[in-house]
Amino acid sequence: MANSNYLTRKKTLMGAKYEIEVPVSQYDAVVRVHAVPDMTLARIEDRVGYKLEDAIAALSNQNLTEADIKAIQENKASPDIIKKGSNALSPQLTLFLGELCKAGIVPDPDCKCKGKGCDDCDIGLLVEELHGFAVLQIGMAIIGASTAAWKDVESFFSAQKEQSGAGSSA
C-alpha cells in the first residue's frame, strides 16, 4: 500500500471497531467493549458536563496501585482500598463513566435477539443496573480502548484474521 502512512476512513473505522474483553469477576462474566470515537466522547462530555481529563484526574488522584485495581476487580479489596476507590466516584464521574459504558459496551452476540436489544442484553438497562465498582472498571477499560495505540488496533485485527483465515473484517 503506497499511502499507508496517511489517515484513511478504513483506519478510523478499524479504530472504532477495536475491542477488548473486560473480566468483571463481581458478576463472574466478561464484558466486551469497543473504542469510543472522539465525537461520541465530546457529545458525552457536553451532555454530562464532565470531561475526560476530569475523570482521569479524579482516578489518578486516588493513588490506586495496580494491586489495588486488581483487588477491586476481583472483589478482594480491603476496606481501605474500597474507601480509596469510592473517593474517586463522585456522582459526576459515575454519570460520565456510565455514559461511556452505554456507548462502549458491545451487546452479547449470543443472545437470542442477536444483540438487537431485548431486556437481557439492552446495554442502557444493563449499565443502569450495575453496582459495586463495575461502572468504574468497565469505564476505565473503555478509556483505555479509546486511547489505544494504532499498533494495538492492528494487532487485534491481525489476530482476528489469523483465527478466521478470512479477509479483513473492517
Side-chain angles (χ1 to χ4, degrees):
M1 191 185 242
N3 295 329
S4 65
N5 62 330
Y6 284 96
L7 184 61
T8 63
R9 183 143 189 268
K10 180 180 179 183
K11 281 187 178 184
T12 60
L13 290 173
M14 286 174 70
K17 291 178 182 176
Y18 170 63
E19 296 181 359
I20 58 173
E21 285 189 346
V22 183
V24 186
S25 58
Q26 176 179 0
Y27 292 100
D28 192 28
V30 174
V31 174
R32 238 175 137 66
V33 299
H34 63 82
V36 174
D38 288 349
M39 292 303 291
T40 302
L41 177 62
R43 286 182 188 98
I44 291 170
E45 288 177 335
D46 186 54
R47 189 170 58 246
V48 176
Y50 198 79
K51 304 268 183 244
L52 177 62
E53 296 81 23
D54 299 332
I56 292 171
L59 294 168
S60 61
N61 283 342
Q62 303 313 310
N63 298 320
L64 292 170
T65 65
E66 290 279 334
D68 294 344
I69 293 169
K70 187 170 180 146
I72 289 170
Q73 291 172 344
E74 294 174 357
N75 246 6
K76 297 178 183 174
S78 69
D80 189 44
I81 294 172
I82 292 171
K83 185 177 178 190
K84 279 176 29 176
S86 64
N87 285 340
L89 280 180
S90 68
Q92 296 88 359
L93 176 59
T94 303
L95 283 172
F96 176 76
L97 292 174
E99 291 300 315
L100 271 182
C101 290
K102 289 176 184 178
I105 293 177
V106 177
D108 178 5
D110 297 328
C111 185
K112 63 184 177 288
C113 76
K114 306 265 190 262
K116 300 241 189 289
C118 68
D119 283 348
D120 276 347
C121 71
D122 182 284
I123 300 305
L125 294 175
L126 177 110
V127 172
E128 292 291 333
E129 294 167 358
L130 290 172
H131 63 276
F133 288 101
V135 169
L136 173 67
Q137 182 182 351
I138 297 167
M140 287 180 2
I142 293 169
I143 291 170
S146 300
T147 57
W150 176 246
K151 66 180 176 75
D152 296 331
V153 175
E154 278 186 315
S155 296
F156 170 75
F157 285 103
S158 294
Q160 277 191 337
K161 188 186 282 186
E162 289 169 11
Q163 285 176 354
S164 69
S168 174
S169 61

